Amino acid sequence: FNHDDITGGVGKAGITWQFVDLLNAKSAMSETATNIGGWRDSALRASMNEGAIWKQAPKTLQTDILAVDKLSKNRDDGTKTSSELNDIAATATSDRLWIMSYPEIVDNLHSSLACLEGEGAQYEYWNGKVPITDNYSYSNYLRKSQPSVPGVIASWWMRSISPNDLTSYRLVSGGYTSNGSMSAQYENCVCPCF
C-alpha cells in the first residue's frame, strides 16, 4: 500500500498488485541478446505498456490503472561490470504494467547484486519471505505457474539487468530462487504488476 509514486508527482498509488499466476504466453525481454538500455528500452516493457500484453487487459481495468514511476539501472552509459554499475543512478520509467526488480522482492541484496541498489524498495508483501541464505534467496513464496499448465512451477523475468554481462536480465529461476539470469532474446514467463 502507498508504495509506488504516480507518474507526474501527484502522490502514491493506493495499492500495487502482482498477478498470482504467470501469463500463459512467454515473452523475450529484447529481440536481441542485449541488456543495453535495460528495462526502459526492452521489448517486454513496450509490450506491457502499449503492445500485445497491454491489449489483453480488459478495457475497464485499463482505465483504472495508473502509470507509476519504476526505477531501473538501464546500462546505456558504457558500464560493463557490477562495480561500474554501482556508480550509476537508477532512472525512472512511467509504467502502467511492469515486472518486479530484484531489490523489490528480496529482503537484502546479495553482495554480488548490491550494484542493483536503487531499483526500488522491497514490497511489504515480500518482507520476510525471500531472505538471503548461504548463497542467494530461496523461497517457496516465489513459486508461480501458468494457468495453461497448472501446478508446473516456472521461472519468470525480473526487470533488473544481470550486472556482469551485457546480454542478460535477472529472473526467478526454477520458481523458487532469485539467483537466475537469462539472455534477453529468450522467452520466459511474465508476472505483471500494476
Side-chain angles (χ1 to χ4, degrees):
F1 295 95
N2 298 314
H3 187 99
D4 291 306
D5 292 323
I6 299 170
T7 298
V10 294
K12 297 279 188 185
I15 191 168
T16 298
W17 297 93
Q18 183 179 35
F19 283 32
V20 173
D21 291 319
L22 304 169
L23 296 180
N24 277 322
K26 293 182 177 184
S27 296
M29 279 297 256
S30 181
E31 295 173 8
T32 60
T34 184
N35 62 22
I36 303 296
W39 170 248
R40 183 197 59 222
D41 295 343
S42 71
L44 180 56
R45 178 174 176 262
S47 178
M48 294 183 81
N49 284 280
E50 59 200 40
I53 293 174
W54 175 253
K55 290 174 183 172
Q56 291 177 47
K59 297 286 185 214
T60 53
L61 179 59
Q62 286 181 3
T63 59
D64 290 333
I65 293 176
L66 299 174
V68 296
D69 293 336
K70 299 310 301 175
L71 295 168
S72 304
K73 294 204 173 180
N74 295 308
R75 185 176 265 153
D76 52 358
D77 60 349
T79 57
K80 294 180 179 158
T81 66
S82 58
S83 60
E84 290 173 334
L85 204 56
N86 255 336
D87 297 332
I88 68 166
T91 56
T93 53
S94 176
D95 296 305
R96 296 178 290 185
L97 294 178
W98 42 273
I99 53 178
M100 293 272 177
S101 69
Y102 174 79
E104 291 172 338
I105 295 174
V106 300
D107 286 351
N108 3 33
L109 305 180
H110 186 272
S111 60
S112 68
L113 299 171
C115 59
L116 297 174
E117 185 174 1
E119 288 193 330
Q122 185 188 42
Y123 280 87
E124 183 179 343
Y125 171 81
W126 293 109
N127 189 287
K129 295 177 181 172
V130 191
I132 295 293
T133 57
D134 57 350
N135 190 8
Y136 287 92
S137 304
Y138 297 89
S139 175
N140 284 328
Y141 290 99
L142 295 170
R143 292 178 170 275
K144 293 184 179 286
S145 60
Q146 297 166 286
S148 59
V149 284
V152 176
I153 306 305
S155 299
W156 42 283
W157 288 117
M158 290 185 265
R159 73 175 185 274
S160 302
I161 61 172
S162 287
N164 289 315
D165 71 61
L166 301 176
T167 64
S168 302
Y169 285 82
R170 305 301 303 165
L171 56 85
V172 172
S173 180
Y176 71 95
T177 176
S178 61
N179 184 24
S181 66
M182 181 180 279
S183 189
Q185 83 276 20
Y186 296 118
E187 291 186 340
N188 200 11
C189 292
V190 177
C191 189
C193 303
F194 62 94

